[in-house]
Amino acid sequence: MAVLNETPAGERLHITFFGRRNAGKSSVVNAVTGQDLAVVSEKAGTTTDPVEKAMEILPLGPVLIVDTPGTDDEGELGEKRVARSYREMERTDIAVLVVDGEKGPSDEDQDLIARFEEKKLPYLVVYNKADLVEKNRSLKANEIEVSAKTGWHIRELKDKLAALQPQTKEQPIIKDLVTAGDVVVLVIPIDASAPKGRLILPQQQVLRELLDVGAMGICCRETELPQTLEALNHPPALVVTDSQAFKKVASVVPLTVKLTSFSILMARHKGFLKTAVQGVKKLYDLQDGDRILMAEGCTHHRQCQDIGTVKLPHWIEKKSDRHLVFETSSGKGFPKDLRRYAMVVHCGGCMQNGREIRSRMEEAVRQGVPFTNYGTIIAEINGILPRSLEVLDGHWE
């Protein structure tokens, strides 16, 4: 389990290093991080799978550094490694192309640059092995010569990376929806799927933002919600619930009190709530035999009453009154071809950065497949989606 004061991986700047085998990519990664993060060898193809490390790098702050296999790998296994390298672009905030300074850019390097530009990815081209060549190359603004071996220009490389950080305004989770002194009740079921001894990440993040603005977060289970509300001198400003308890919580919370879910707040935070609300309309146009992809951003041990594979499929079939086929994906195993699916229902994406989950959303939209998330569809199934969005009036992404 991550240390409690660590920035979650999904909130870190993702910097991914790409390049051919033996361009010195892993050596540059080690020089930038100041650690032996990646195995370095004269033998081509030492990095066979993406290697990642969460850390703090000045002047960048909290980052996730990813070293990928060479994009010129060969053979059947090599092709799979190259595909995994390309897949890393879906969650990359800044791409770094490491080029062998002795050999210059290759066709594979030019192909990578074309992919970066197609995806509108900020990128740097780093000519490594500057200690072995004359330093008279004409460089563009997003290019730099370095020597991973001697450390020459590594500091300047970090400064260039810092300058490429996206300047987009951070979308809060909840702190722009409440003010100092507000009481917010957080409904957190403790069932078989709840992690032992801790809260899940969205619950932690919501609590932290409430503390940041001076609001008062009160936690309870759905079974104690009536007593919690009765114990308050005044109605709370807002109730935030786990999506699975939406129906029960909505029946207890007065209509005069605003109500939403952790999942809906996370969808707004990650930048795909509007698409999720639009995509949920497909629920009323499903046909017998339609396939639905239940997608999760992380991998976890599934319980007998798992939300993504048991509860939610049952609720969707009951609401649509159709016999449906459900398929699942988890972690990085999100399908590229989505056309076989009638819709995609994604988790809240708390363990993914915004770029990765938006990339999945955009790919679904591009292929004409409705895209929604757990919290949005559960709210719709229970007839309370409009109510759960009221608190966001004027505060959408």
Side-chain angles (χ1 to χ4, degrees):
M1 188 177 79
V3 178
L4 290 180
N5 64 353
E6 285 186 351
T7 302
E11 304 298 322
R12 290 175 177 267
L13 184 73
H14 285 46
I15 303 175
T16 308
F17 289 73
F18 300 91
R20 301 180 67 198
R21 294 174 296 171
N22 263 21
K25 177 166 40 65
S26 297
S27 297
V28 173
V29 169
N30 289 345
V32 168
T33 62
Q35 300 181 13
D36 291 332
L37 171 61
V39 177
V40 177
S41 171
E42 295 295 327
K43 183 180 179 181
T46 302
T47 304
T48 58
D49 291 292
V51 177
E52 60 184 54
K53 174 70 173 180
M55 61 192 311
E56 303 270 338
I57 299 180
L58 294 176
L60 292 161
V63 298
L64 185 76
I65 298 291
V66 183
D67 182 23
T68 62
T71 52
D72 61 333
D73 212 338
E74 300 171 336
E76 183 178 350
L77 185 58
E79 289 179 1
K80 292 181 179 179
R81 291 171 179 164
V82 172
R84 294 189 69 174
S85 292
Y86 288 153
R87 193 182 303 159
E88 288 297 321
M89 291 186 199
E90 305 302 330
R91 63 178 187 141
T92 297
D93 294 307
I94 299 175
V96 180
L97 171 59
V98 179
V99 176
D100 187 328
E102 288 188 290
K103 299 177 181 178
S106 65
D107 290 341
E108 289 88 356
D109 295 329
Q110 297 297 343
D111 177 66
L112 279 168
I113 290 174
R115 288 172 183 263
F116 297 157
E117 293 178 347
E118 180 185 1
K119 293 181 178 295
K120 297 180 173 58
L121 265 179
Y123 71 93
L124 288 179
V125 178
V126 178
Y127 294 95
N128 189 28
K129 305 181 183 180
D131 53 301
L132 302 178
V133 297
E134 292 186 14
K135 304 174 184 64
N136 57 1
R137 181 182 279 108
S138 178
L139 298 173
K140 298 178 182 178
N142 67 333
E143 297 179 335
I144 187 173
E145 290 182 308
V146 306
S147 170
K149 184 176 181 180
T150 67
W152 184 73
H153 268 187
I154 294 300
R155 174 68 193 189
E156 289 77 2
L157 170 56
K158 294 180 184 180
D159 290 338
K160 278 186 171 289
L161 288 171
L164 283 182
Q165 291 188 76
Q167 299 302 309
T168 54
K169 183 180 179 181
E170 179 183 297
Q171 177 66 62
I173 300 175
I174 195 173
K175 62 186 178 183
D176 61 328
L177 306 177
V178 296
T179 58
D182 280 349
V183 173
V184 180
V185 176
L186 307 180
V187 183
I188 304 173
I190 304 297
D191 54 20
S193 62
K196 185 177 180 180
R198 62 181 175 88
L199 301 178
I200 62 174
L201 184 58
Q203 296 160 0
Q204 297 176 36
Q205 291 176 293
V206 166
L207 271 171
R208 177 53 195 261
E209 287 202 4
L210 291 176
L211 291 171
D212 286 342
V213 298
M216 294 171 281
I218 298 176
C219 302
C220 69
R221 299 181 299 181
E222 74 280 16
T223 48
E224 284 75 48
L225 179 59
Q227 300 95 304
T228 301
L229 295 176
E230 289 176 6
L232 298 175
N233 291 328
H234 303 283
L238 175 63
V239 174
V240 183
T241 181
D242 184 281
S243 299
Q244 298 183 58
F246 238 147
K247 185 176 182 179
K248 184 172 183 179
V249 170
S251 68
V252 174
V253 177
L255 291 176
T256 53
V257 175
K258 293 179 180 179
L259 169 67
T260 192
S261 73
F262 292 102
S263 186
I264 285 175
L265 293 177
M266 289 302 297
R268 184 183 76 122
H269 176 59
K270 297 293 183 179
F272 69 97
L273 180 58
K274 286 185 177 179
T275 301
V277 172
Q278 183 68 25
V280 81
K281 297 176 183 178
K282 182 64 178 179
L283 185 62
Y284 302 101
D285 189 35
L286 293 171
Q287 306 299 319
D288 286 332
D290 277 351
R291 294 180 181 273
I292 297 178
L293 178 64
M294 308 298 295
E296 295 192 345
C298 61
T299 56
H300 64 273
H301 176 68
R302 300 191 185 279
Q303 305 287 336
C304 60
Q305 287 297 309
D306 183 74
I307 180 65
T309 58
V310 181
K311 291 182 178 179
L312 194 43
H314 171 71
W315 294 337
I316 292 173
E317 279 201 325
K318 185 176 180 180
K319 181 68 175 181
S320 65
D321 194 27
R322 294 289 186 267
H323 296 292
L324 306 168
V325 178
F326 293 89
E327 297 182 5
T328 61
S329 70
S330 59
K332 299 178 183 178
F334 191 74
K336 292 187 65 176
D337 188 353
L338 301 170
R339 290 170 295 179
R340 64 186 299 202
Y341 300 109
M343 69 186 306
V344 175
V345 183
H346 207 287
C347 70
C350 63
M351 300 303 293
Q352 298 169 286
N353 66 340
R355 177 176 282 274
E356 182 177 12
I357 197 163
R358 287 194 301 272
S359 175
R360 294 182 175 191
M361 173 200 73
E362 290 164 0
E363 188 58 35
V365 171
R366 188 184 69 81
Q367 296 183 36
V369 181
F371 184 97
T372 191
N373 79 320
Y374 287 11
T376 304
I377 199 168
I378 291 174
E380 179 65 23
I381 288 171
N382 288 299
I384 54 176
L385 181 57
R387 182 184 180 186
S388 69
L389 298 173
E390 286 177 2
V391 70
L392 304 179
D393 184 32
H395 294 85
W396 286 62
E397 65 259 86

